């Protein structure tokens, strides 16, 4: 399960890496960083609330974790080029 989550988190970076670099070059890096951090924070709050509400249904929690991992991988692929650019 952990290996599957790791793969799901890496796939967006592989697919969107070149596109994310172009986005970081075209738009304000500070805005990208702030927006991505804000969305990550909202996702984590929503995840915590969802896990609390769905505590009886493990299969939904596992599906939610895969979705959240994919979304965070996507956002991380946008964040890294903006954060590492000179």
């Amino acid at each position: 399960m952990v290996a599957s989550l790791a793969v799901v988190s890496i796939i967006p970076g592989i697919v969107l890496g070149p596109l994310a670099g172009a986005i970081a070059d075209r738009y304000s890096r500070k805005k990208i960083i702030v927006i991505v951090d804000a969305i990550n924070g909202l996702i984590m709050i929503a995840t915590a609330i969802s896990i609390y509400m769905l505590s009886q249904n493990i299969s939904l929690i596992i599906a939610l974790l895969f979705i959240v991992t994919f979304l965070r991988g996507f956002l991380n692929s946008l964040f890294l080029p903006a954060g590492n650019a000179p």
Side-chain angles (χ1 to χ4, degrees), residues 55-68:
S55 60
Q56 301 298 326
N57 197 341
I58 299 299
S59 60
L60 279 177
I61 291 174
I62 292 172
L64 175 69
L65 289 177
F66 275 96
I67 293 168
V68 167

Side-chain angles (χ1 to χ4, degrees), residues 6 14 24-25 32 35 42 44 48-49 53 56 61 76 79 81 86:
I14 293 171
D25 287 339
I32 292 172
I35 290 170
L42 292 173
M44 296 317 308
I49 292 169
M53 298 295 218
Q56 301 298 326
I61 291 174
N76 195 29
F79 181 87

Side-chain angles (χ1 to χ4, degrees), residues 11-63:
I11 289 173
I14 293 171
V15 173
L16 299 172
L19 179 64
I23 291 171
D25 287 339
R26 177 167 287 197
Y27 299 105
S28 170
R29 291 179 181 95
K30 289 180 185 178
K31 287 182 182 178
I32 292 172
I33 291 170
V34 169
I35 290 170
V36 168
D37 274 343
I39 294 171
N40 264 328
L42 292 173
I43 287 173
M44 296 317 308
I45 290 170
T47 302
I49 292 169
S50 298
I51 288 174
Y52 177 75
M53 298 295 218
L54 299 171
S55 60
Q56 301 298 326
N57 197 341
I58 299 299
S59 60
L60 279 177
I61 291 174
I62 292 172

Side-chain angles (χ1 to χ4, degrees), residues 5 7-13 15-16 43 64-77:
L5 282 171
V7 169
V8 168
S9 70
I10 293 171
I11 289 173
V15 173
L16 299 172
I43 287 173
L64 175 69
L65 289 177
F66 275 96
I67 293 168
V68 167
T69 302
F70 180 81
L71 289 174
R72 295 215 42 211
F74 172 76
L75 292 171
N76 195 29
S77 70

